[in-house]
Amino acid sequence: MSVAPDDGVVTVTAAWAPALERAVAADPVQVPAAGDWVVVVPVAGARTGAVERVLPRRTAVVRAQVARGSSYGQVLAANADVVAVAEGMAPDVDLARIERLLALAWSSGAEPYVVLTKADLPAEPDVLAAEVAEVAPGAPVLAVSALTGAGLEPLRDRLRGGATVALVGASGAGKSTLLNALVGGDVMSTRALRVDGKGRHTTVTRELHLVPGGGAVLDTPGLRTIGLAGEEALDDVFAEIEDLASRCRFADCAHRTEPGCAVLAAVEDGTLPQRRLDSHRKLLRELEHQAARVDSRLRAELTGRARVQQRAYRRYPLRP
Ligand SMILES: Nc1nc2c(ncn2[C@@H]2O[C@H](COP(=O)(O)OP(=O)(O)OP(=O)(O)O)[C@@H](O)[C@H]2O)c(=O)[nH]1
Ligand SMILES: [Mg+2]
Ligand SMILES: [Zn+2]
């Protein structure tokens, strides 16, 4: 783990202190993540330290841990002001992936953006951007090219204002290339896509880089699986469906067969794409499953916690 101390120049290596190990044992979300502020206690006579504590996060992008069926979350980026969902305009745009990542972005507490990269490739980037804006209510949608520099100004503006911009998205979306363009140097290595268009996971670490004119950009490795952590609210992601739902005849309308359903009526008259409703249902179902996992773990923990704590304290007795 690398930590940039106050002067922002020296990098110290740091190991987890027992106190932090204890915290992580109780809740893996306490694992220090890129963007975290931590308390480091220096080790005398060495350029190393021990990370005692992770300070409370202002915002956090959390996904479900990769292990199938895990009820724990993993922090991808901490304390970002803007979470930019990066999606390449070429070879194609995956709307469902954008919606899924927006769920993480909205629930992070940061401002969600959609950044459509490689805008130099499609014939009509503006048409494509307008299409994506339909699935991203409330989030600015930018069409950018790291190659030509087009469309980067809104992000540069936020950075000049001191914001930290976290980039999340599939492998090969162009996150590291975008970071390099914003930072103005070759700080992250990038790599061409395979011929089949699938990314190769060039970036394997989460890194935060300071931008010379102010602000910081946080790069993350491309995500293959983006599991919802179970705490997201989809209301923001599907704001127009929420809006329609408030006009359904029944307050508990499931928008399936109910009479007087404003959502189904909107699908019927073509104002709401069926794909959008399907996507909402799919994420909602996934969310409910994950929330149930978290619930049953929390119940089990209430009974098991005392035991776990006893073990941890035996291993790392608190010094007086
Ligand atoms: N034409 C064009 N190509 C781009 C642009 N941005 C990125 N690329 C290309 O897309 C490929 C993937 O870029 P990366 O920046 O490595 O993608 P990444 O999202 O960081 O991928 P991972 O690190 O695997 O998550 C590289 O070949 C880049 O040169 C762009 O604006 N225009
Ligand atoms: Mg990368
Ligand atoms: Zn309804």
Side-chain angles (χ1 to χ4, degrees):
M1 179 192 333
S2 295
V3 178
D6 260 0
D7 56 16
V9 182
V10 189
T11 297
V12 300
T13 1
W16 297 8
L20 182 58
E21 282 197 44
R22 265 201 304 273
V24 168
D27 179 9
V29 166
Q30 289 305 311
V31 173
D36 264 325
W37 291 93
V38 294
V39 177
V40 179
V41 179
V43 170
R47 269 230 163 284
T48 59
V51 178
E52 278 283 342
R53 212 153 65 78
V54 175
L55 297 186
R57 297 169 177 134
R58 273 189 308 115
T59 72
V61 182
V62 187
R63 71 156 161 179
Q65 272 186 354
V66 186
R68 265 180 87 85
S70 168
S71 61
Y72 285 108
Q74 179 194 19
V75 179
L76 301 177
N79 298 314
D81 300 287
V82 171
V83 173
V85 172
E87 176 77 11
M89 287 192 132
D92 55 357
V93 165
D94 184 336
L95 296 178
R97 179 163 57 208
I98 293 175
E99 288 165 332
R100 177 177 286 275
L101 284 165
L102 276 172
L104 262 54
W106 276 108
S107 54
S108 72
E111 269 178 76
Y113 274 52
V114 178
V115 175
L116 298 168
T117 60
K118 313 186 191 185
D120 52 282
L121 293 177
E124 293 182 306
D126 293 343
V127 176
L128 206 50
E131 209 177 294
V132 171
E134 294 283 310
V135 309
V141 176
L142 313 176
V144 310
S145 167
L147 211 66
T148 67
L152 294 178
E153 209 40 49
L155 287 176
R156 289 199 195 284
D157 255 3
R158 295 303 311 268
L159 290 168
R160 270 194 295 270
T164 295
V165 177
L167 305 173
V168 296
S171 190
K175 299 177 294 298
S176 301
T177 310
L178 179 59
L179 180 143
N180 287 341
L182 292 170
V183 172
D186 263 346
V187 291
M188 292 297 294
S189 57
T190 63
R191 202 156 54 167
L193 290 176
R194 294 193 312 224
V195 247
D196 61 6
K198 296 245 166 36
R200 287 193 295 193
H201 293 277
T202 307
T203 306
V204 292
T205 53
R206 296 185 284 274
E207 291 186 25
L208 184 133
H209 290 271
L210 299 179
V211 180
V217 184
L218 200 164
D219 193 10
T220 64
L223 301 174
R224 214 185 299 268
T225 48
I226 312 152
L228 301 184
E231 286 167 17
E232 295 85 353
L234 295 177
D235 306 14
D236 289 314
V237 185
F238 296 95
E240 84 282 29
I241 298 183
E242 290 304 316
D243 196 40
L244 286 165
S246 69
R247 279 177 266 147
C248 293
R249 186 179 305 161
F250 303 112
D252 63 348
C253 186
H255 326 306
R256 290 189 185 275
T257 53
E258 292 87 342
C261 173
V263 174
L264 292 178
V267 171
E268 194 63 36
D269 71 18
T271 45
L272 178 69
Q274 178 72 46
R275 190 208 65 78
R276 185 82 169 145
L277 180 58
D278 293 343
S279 182
H280 185 216
R281 279 186 186 148
K282 181 160 185 269
L283 291 180
L284 214 53
R285 217 168 24 238
E286 188 179 320
L287 203 63
E288 282 163 6
H289 280 150
Q290 188 64 13
R293 277 190 197 117
V294 173
D295 252 17
S296 59
R297 165 171 50 87
L298 291 179
R299 268 198 306 276
E301 275 177 5
L302 279 180
T303 46
R305 183 170 296 157
R307 219 165 354 119
V308 172
Q309 261 176 4
Q310 268 169 5
R311 258 204 309 273
Y313 282 95
R314 259 203 309 277
R315 207 168 143 213
Y316 303 114
L318 287 176
R319 278 180 275 298

